[in-house]
Amino acid sequence: TSSAASLSSAVGQLQVGSRAGIAGAAAKRLVKDLVTTAKSSLIVGTLPTGLVPEQRVDYAIVVPPRHRGSDDDGDPYPLLLTLHGLKGSRDGLIKQHEHGDWDARFAAGVCPETVIATISGGDNYYMDFHDKSAMWETFLIEEFLPFVIRTCNCGATRELRYLMGGSMGGHGALKLAFRHPDKFAAVAAFEPAIDAALEPAHLTRRNHQWAQCAGSAQAGDLITQMWGGVTPEYDSLHYR
């Protein structure tokens, strides 16, 4: 449709944050596809960034049925940022769109018409690495979120922004919500990858992530990148 085409054009013309250092023309070249159904629309693209080693992040956005693309100058829509679990990607949201999952919720009144957005975040827990080699939290908050808000007429205020995630995505959703309470009105986490402990000293062998890293050189290297490493004292206290 014409509104879908204008939305695609807006995506291409939009300049990303200053950290990326790449103009909107580059973003336009990287936008892959825009698929329109009789109901909602799906935007699939790639956002250039200087915050992760790959220098680009794939994304998918579901735009609800009554949304008029970049011509939509009505009241802003709610925005739901959804985060996938370990080994997942934006493909999860793409398949939900193909199956009509969100259209069914909109039609049934279970969910108001909402812009749904996600990224392919790898297995990086949506976090800023301790060694600064990857800055996923910063990318989401400072680049992706503003990109979706400006492009899709949604999430203009805190009251219109929501977070959701499962497993690793639940971990990321909770972390983003609590670290940035000024950005989101609500959060939902499904089987989040967290431990039922209030203090680090309460963590025991049942902490699967840390146990894996204590016993694997490769995993230990990743933990050093992400969290700063497992110290001998920590290992001795909890795993030996």
Side-chain angles (χ1 to χ4, degrees), residues 115-126:
V115 174
I116 320 292
T118 194
I119 65 168
S120 291
D123 298 337
N124 298 303
Y125 283 81
Y126 306 100

Side-chain angles (χ1 to χ4, degrees), residues 134-157:
M135 305 292 284
W136 288 96
E137 179 180 337
T138 299
F139 168 76
L140 284 167
I141 296 298
E142 296 187 8
E143 294 187 1
F144 185 65
L145 194 63
F147 169 79
V148 178
I149 290 170
R150 291 195 298 265
T151 304
C152 299
N153 185 30
C154 63
T157 63

Side-chain angles (χ1 to χ4, degrees), residues 169-193:
H171 171 107
L174 289 172
K175 181 180 64 179
L176 289 175
F178 283 105
R179 284 174 62 86
H180 303 277
D182 59 316
K183 300 290 187 185
F184 303 100
V187 59
F190 310 102
E191 297 183 341

Side-chain angles (χ1 to χ4, degrees), residues 1 3-4 7 34-43 60-70 72 75-80 93 97 100-107 111-117 148 151-155:
T1 65
S3 62
L7 181 56
L34 175 66
V35 180
T36 303
T37 68
K39 297 181 179 179
S40 61
S41 297
L42 176 70
I43 304 170
I61 305 171
V62 171
V63 179
R66 284 196 289 262
H67 197 290
R68 294 185 289 110
S70 58
D72 198 315
D75 292 337
Y77 285 80
L79 168 61
L80 173 62
L93 183 59
H97 171 74
D101 294 352
W102 287 103
D103 284 329
R105 294 176 182 123
F106 297 150
C111 177
E113 290 204 2
T114 300
V115 174
I116 320 292
V148 178
T151 304
C152 299
N153 185 30
C154 63

Side-chain angles (χ1 to χ4, degrees), residues 3-237:
S3 62
S6 59
L7 181 56
S8 180
S9 176
V11 172
Q13 294 170 9
L14 182 65
Q15 290 193 354
V16 298
S18 58
R19 287 178 179 270
I22 302 175
K28 185 174 183 179
R29 290 194 298 271
L30 291 170
V31 171
K32 295 296 184 184
D33 196 14
L34 175 66
V35 180
T36 303
T37 68
K39 297 181 179 179
S40 61
S41 297
L42 176 70
I43 304 170
V44 181
T46 303
L47 194 65
T49 179
L51 293 172
V52 301
E54 297 80 5
Q55 300 290 302
R56 52 190 286 172
V57 177
D58 293 337
Y59 66 83
I61 305 171
V62 171
V63 179
R66 284 196 289 262
H67 197 290
R68 294 185 289 110
S70 58
D71 295 329
D72 198 315
D73 56 1
D75 292 337
Y77 285 80
L79 168 61
L80 173 62
L81 177 61
T82 177
L83 304 178
H84 64 75
L86 200 72
K87 307 303 179 185
S89 71
R90 68 178 181 181
D91 290 349
L93 183 59
I94 293 172
K95 290 177 181 177
Q96 290 172 19
H97 171 74
E98 292 172 348
H99 295 161
D101 294 352
W102 287 103
D103 284 329
R105 294 176 182 123
F106 297 150
V110 174
C111 177
E113 290 204 2
T114 300
V115 174
I116 320 292
T118 194
I119 65 168
S120 291
D123 298 337
N124 298 303
Y125 283 81
Y126 306 100
M127 65 185 298
D128 287 350
F129 281 23
H130 181 267
D131 68 357
K132 310 297 183 184
S133 61
M135 305 292 284
W136 288 96
E137 179 180 337
T138 299
F139 168 76
L140 284 167
I141 296 298
E142 296 187 8
E143 294 187 1
F144 185 65
L145 194 63
F147 169 79
V148 178
I149 290 170
R150 291 195 298 265
T151 304
C152 299
N153 185 30
C154 63
T157 63
R158 175 184 180 273
E159 289 71 24
L160 291 174
R161 298 184 210 124
Y162 307 93
L163 273 168
M164 181 177 77
S167 191
M168 182 189 76
H171 171 107
L174 289 172
K175 181 180 64 179
L176 289 175
F178 283 105
R179 284 174 62 86
H180 303 277
D182 59 316
K183 300 290 187 185
F184 303 100
V187 59
F190 310 102
E191 297 183 341
I194 61 174
D195 282 277
L198 297 177
E199 299 292 339
H202 298 164
L203 299 176
T204 63
R205 287 180 182 273
R206 64 189 174 82
N207 183 309
H208 179 66
Q209 182 71 23
W210 282 97
Q212 275 189 315
C213 296
S216 164
Q218 183 178 6
D221 289 342
L222 180 59
I223 281 295
T224 299
Q225 283 184 283
M226 297 174 82
W227 284 292
V230 181
T231 65
E233 293 79 13
Y234 190 99
D235 183 70
S236 176
L237 178 62

